[in-house]
Amino acid sequence: MEKIQMTMPIVEMDGDEMTHVLWDMIKEKLLAPYVDLKTEYYDLSLLNRNATADQITVDSAMAAKKYGVAVKCATITPNKQRMEEFPQLTQMWKSPNVTIRSIIGGTVFRTPILTDVIKPAIRFWKKPITVARHAYGDVYESVGFHSQEPGTCTMTFRAVSGQEQSVVVKTTNGPAIWAAEHNLDDSIREFAQACFTYALNMKQDLWFSTKDTIAKVYDGQFRRIFEEEYEKNFRTKFEQLGLKYFYTLIDDAIARCVRSEGGFIWALKNYDGDVMSDLVSTAFGSLAMMTSVLVSTDGTMEFEASHGTVTQHYYRWQKGEKTSTNPIATIFAWTGALRRRGELDKNEALSGFAARLEHACLQTINDGIMTKDLANLADPKVSVRAVNSEEFFDAIIAHMK
Ligand code: NAP
Ligand code: MG
């Protein structure tokens, strides 16, 4: 069989532990036999980040910006315990994801992978719901204090020009707690652009919800910026594809979300996104079935699994045990990157391959062959065979053939 050719490379960010073991298996067993894989390789394993004083992470992010598509393996973010485990570390290096995000910018979209045999806790859901969380400001950068005496709290903004804006927050006659939060027009606008761009790319409707009836200025500004961006830059493209941009109050959005079939992108403010992404991912099943994509305003996309390096499995694997680690999210990170590369390069063979590989994975699970983490989530009517990772790969390969 002739292998599928690639014109432009994908930036490959290799990582650590069990996900690194799966990474090699994915390339060797699922990709290399079919695709003449073209990647620009960056080893982001902890020891190589240490050896390069983390320059490798910066270089890989710059490459992602250059080529527009990257796929990342999970990596260790060192903490105190890891500093003891790896005494050669010269620093407690920052999370590579934080470094990469600060260079590429953009928004993280988390999407569950659905199969027929693993039913979401909410029985109406048939298609994935992707949560886009605005990862800047609000309560995460708020300041506050506790006051004891009766008195008045005011909030003042002093502009560089010397102009001042001031509001009375409240006059109280007893002990009280206070908080001030902020957000930036530029950050909200970037978030809006990333959400509209991603919805177009996924050919799905975009929902956005806040509490602007209550927070008229604060949440109202979020709503206005989203509307401005939609009218100015996205309405025509949405209409051409028959897609909708839909704004509603957060309470209404939650009620509609639960009753919906899924199949849309849900943009949320920082706190709402934090809470709702955990709810949505748990209701859909398992962290091992969740991918995430970092999308920047210039269209750069970096794909990865939402889970970590699965350390406990790795320790067992090191002792020679076979583990039942679920490779699906990491495989889908690869297929996401291959599909995007295919779309950018008008390489239908490559996008088609990504779709076939995803289909083979889902078929395997629907046949009842799955890793242990999924086995106890599966529909009791399905006869399940829980297998180790290698057997799972073999079953996917059988479907590919
Ligand atoms: P984790 O690697 O996601 O694993 C937590 C537990 O979830 C595992 O022990 C396992 O449970 C289950 N699990 C996760 N993924 C699985 C899979 N693919 N198949 C089967 N089970 C899976 O989180 P962690 O243990 O908190 O973190 C480990 C390392 O990953 C840390 O060093 C952390 O810094 C790093 N991390 C990296 C990223 C990233 O690069 N994006 C994200 C998160 C964490 P059982 O043991 O019960 O089977
Ligand atoms: Mg959370």
Side-chain angles (χ1 to χ4, degrees):
M1 201 183 78
E2 228 175 273
K3 286 192 192 183
I4 295 161
Q5 295 298 312
M6 295 173 64
T7 42
M8 294 289 284
I10 285 174
V11 175
E12 176 183 352
M13 304 167 170
D14 203 346
D16 290 299
E17 300 193 317
M18 205 57 215
T19 38
H20 167 70
V21 174
L22 296 175
W23 193 261
D24 285 343
M25 289 189 195
I26 292 168
K27 283 170 62 182
E28 186 205 315
K29 291 171 185 275
L30 301 182
L31 304 179
Y34 307 97
V35 180
D36 200 358
L37 209 56
K38 223 182 188 181
T39 70
E40 194 163 294
Y41 182 85
Y42 292 85
D43 175 7
L44 300 196
S45 65
L46 180 57
L47 292 183
N48 197 42
R49 276 178 277 146
N50 188 60
T52 62
D54 214 16
Q55 186 60 37
I56 192 77
T57 309
V58 174
D59 291 347
S60 74
M62 298 304 285
K65 271 173 88 86
K66 177 173 167 195
Y67 293 111
V69 187
V71 58
K72 182 178 169 291
C73 180
T75 45
I76 296 171
T77 301
N79 53 15
K80 211 166 137 268
Q81 187 198 332
R82 295 292 198 173
M83 298 300 284
E84 283 158 24
E85 186 180 349
F86 300 96
Q88 61 271 60
L89 295 185
T90 55
Q91 259 190 53
M92 207 191 285
W93 301 106
K94 268 202 307 198
S95 152
N97 288 38
V98 170
T99 304
I100 292 167
R101 209 173 305 165
S102 73
I103 293 170
I104 300 180
T107 302
V108 175
F109 297 84
R110 274 177 139 211
T111 310
I113 300 155
L114 298 199
T115 67
D116 297 340
V117 299
I118 293 152
K119 299 282 182 225
I122 293 174
R123 63 192 153 83
F124 305 112
W125 290 356
K126 304 218 157 44
K127 296 177 218 158
I129 295 167
T130 298
V131 172
R133 169 183 172 190
H134 181 215
Y136 180 83
D138 300 350
V139 73
Y140 300 85
E141 292 195 45
S142 69
V143 290
F145 55 82
H146 186 196
S147 62
Q148 301 299 330
E149 284 187 63
T152 299
C153 179
T154 59
M155 184 165 71
T156 304
F157 174 76
R158 205 162 293 118
V160 285
S161 65
Q163 286 250 350
E164 283 191 2
Q165 279 171 285
S166 217
V167 288
V168 172
V169 181
K170 191 90 180 168
T171 298
T172 58
N173 47 26
I177 43 173
W178 309 91
E181 39 183 88
H182 82 284
N183 220 303
L184 308 172
D185 282 14
D186 278 353
S187 174
I188 301 167
R189 193 170 301 280
E190 257 192 29
F191 176 54
Q193 288 166 348
C195 292
F196 286 120
T197 306
Y198 192 68
L200 284 176
N201 189 56
M202 298 301 291
K203 301 188 179 54
Q204 287 183 345
D205 291 346
L206 178 69
W207 296 19
F208 180 46
S209 51
T210 71
K211 193 78 178 175
D212 71 310
T213 45
I214 302 299
K216 290 194 172 62
V217 174
Y218 200 102
D219 285 12
Q221 184 69 350
F222 275 83
R223 180 178 181 171
R224 274 187 293 281
I225 289 176
F226 264 74
E227 258 155 27
E228 256 171 49
E229 278 304 316
Y230 180 61
E231 292 303 333
K232 212 168 95 202
N233 299 318
F234 295 97
R235 181 187 274 282
T236 324
K237 291 175 206 152
F238 265 61
E239 285 175 355
Q240 276 163 2
L241 290 174
L243 300 177
K244 273 205 299 280
Y245 166 59
F246 171 61
Y247 176 86
T248 186
L249 277 180
I250 178 111
D251 335 35
D252 180 49
I254 288 170
R256 283 174 189 255
C257 174
V258 169
R259 287 194 309 261
S260 79
E261 278 203 341
F264 57 92
I265 320 279
W266 190 8
L268 288 156
K269 287 177 59 198
N270 210 350
Y271 176 81
D272 301 338
D274 184 354
V275 178
M276 293 316 295
S277 68
D278 284 331
L279 183 123
V280 169
S281 62
T282 310
F284 269 111
S286 148
L287 203 58
M289 297 291 279
M290 185 79 60
T291 55
S292 80
V293 198
L294 175 65
V295 182
S296 77
T297 37
D298 69 7
T300 299
M301 292 193 187
E302 182 234 339
F303 295 81
E304 66 172 331
S306 293
H307 59 78
T309 59
V310 212
T311 311
Q312 296 312 319
H313 293 213
Y314 182 61
Y315 292 156
R316 299 211 302 270
W317 182 84
Q318 276 182 317
K319 289 191 206 133
E321 259 183 63
K322 288 198 186 303
T323 69
S324 183
T325 318
N326 188 342
I328 290 287
T330 308
I331 296 173
F332 275 60
W334 271 100
T335 53
L338 290 169
R339 178 184 289 109
R340 178 69 178 163
R341 188 73 276 166
E343 280 166 9
L344 290 178
D345 303 345
K346 311 232 170 339
N347 185 345
E348 275 168 32
L350 193 62
S351 313
F353 168 77
R356 280 203 306 286
L357 177 50
E358 288 179 358
H359 188 73
C361 290
L362 300 179
Q363 268 315 116
T364 304
I365 296 172
N366 288 337
D367 284 352
I369 303 169
M370 58 191 80
T371 45
K372 272 188 197 146
D373 56 306
L374 297 183
N376 40 19
L377 297 172
D379 186 338
K381 290 196 285 287
V382 177
S383 90
V384 167
R385 186 155 72 89
V387 294
N388 65 41
S389 300
E390 267 132 348
E391 293 165 331
F392 188 60
F393 276 107
D394 290 340
I396 297 170
I397 294 164
H399 268 293
M400 290 295 284
K401 284 177 177 153

